[in-house]
Amino acid sequence: MGISYVEFEDEHGVLRRYRKHANGRGLVATTAKVDPTAYVDPTAYVDPGAVVQRGASIEHGGWVEADAIVAERAVIGVNARIGHGAVVGRSAVVGPYATVGADAKVHNGARVPRDASVADGTEYRPSSDDLRRLGLAA
């Protein structure tokens, strides 16, 4: 079976090419880097220049915008959106319908709640409960 591509025209009229990721069949831009162990749901998108690391998961309807980074074992929930240039740290969870703004940072182990928004350029730190879950706090 050959590689299949899908092409879209972005808001600036630039033609973008996406391929189906082997693990989940989600659409990944040809210039994005997604580890083979990451899961990309068939309804999810990873835009140009984005990076999705080992064991990460992009769930149903998830969208990782251009130049964003999703670190190891992070989870991007149902219909969650990661903004341009944002970083989601190791083992972090972005809840369903949540939004992480452009150039924002979700720290390692943090959990962004359902429907929450992390503003552009801000940082979202883990709570004490998040740290306990990871075994990093008493």
Side-chain angles (χ1 to χ4, degrees):
M1 177 165 112
I3 297 175
S4 61
Y5 292 98
V6 177
E7 293 179 331
F8 296 103
E9 187 175 317
D10 71 12
E11 64 274 8
H12 304 292
V14 176
L15 193 62
R16 303 282 184 194
R17 181 180 271 191
Y18 291 76
R19 60 183 158 64
K20 293 185 178 186
H21 186 56
N23 189 11
R25 308 296 290 159
L27 294 176
V28 176
T30 56
T31 60
K33 293 179 182 166
V34 179
D35 190 275
T37 65
Y39 173 75
V40 182
D41 185 87
T43 61
Y45 292 87
V46 180
D47 281 346
V51 175
V52 178
Q53 296 179 349
R54 183 174 52 94
S57 181
I58 314 300
E59 300 298 325
H60 179 86
W63 181 9
V64 180
E65 291 186 25
D67 302 319
I69 298 171
V70 178
E72 294 178 7
R73 298 180 310 280
V75 176
I76 307 306
V78 171
N79 292 324
R81 182 174 178 172
I82 309 304
H84 183 276
V87 176
V88 177
R90 285 187 317 275
S91 301
V93 176
V94 177
Y97 305 96
T99 301
V100 176
D103 300 312
K105 180 174 183 180
V106 176
H107 285 258
N108 295 342
R111 298 186 124 196
V112 177
R114 177 187 189 95
D115 293 317
S117 291
V118 178
D120 292 354
T122 62
E123 295 187 16
Y124 190 91
R125 298 183 184 281
S127 69
S128 57
D129 287 341
D130 295 338
L131 293 173
R132 269 195 289 284
R133 176 180 56 85
L134 294 172
L136 299 174

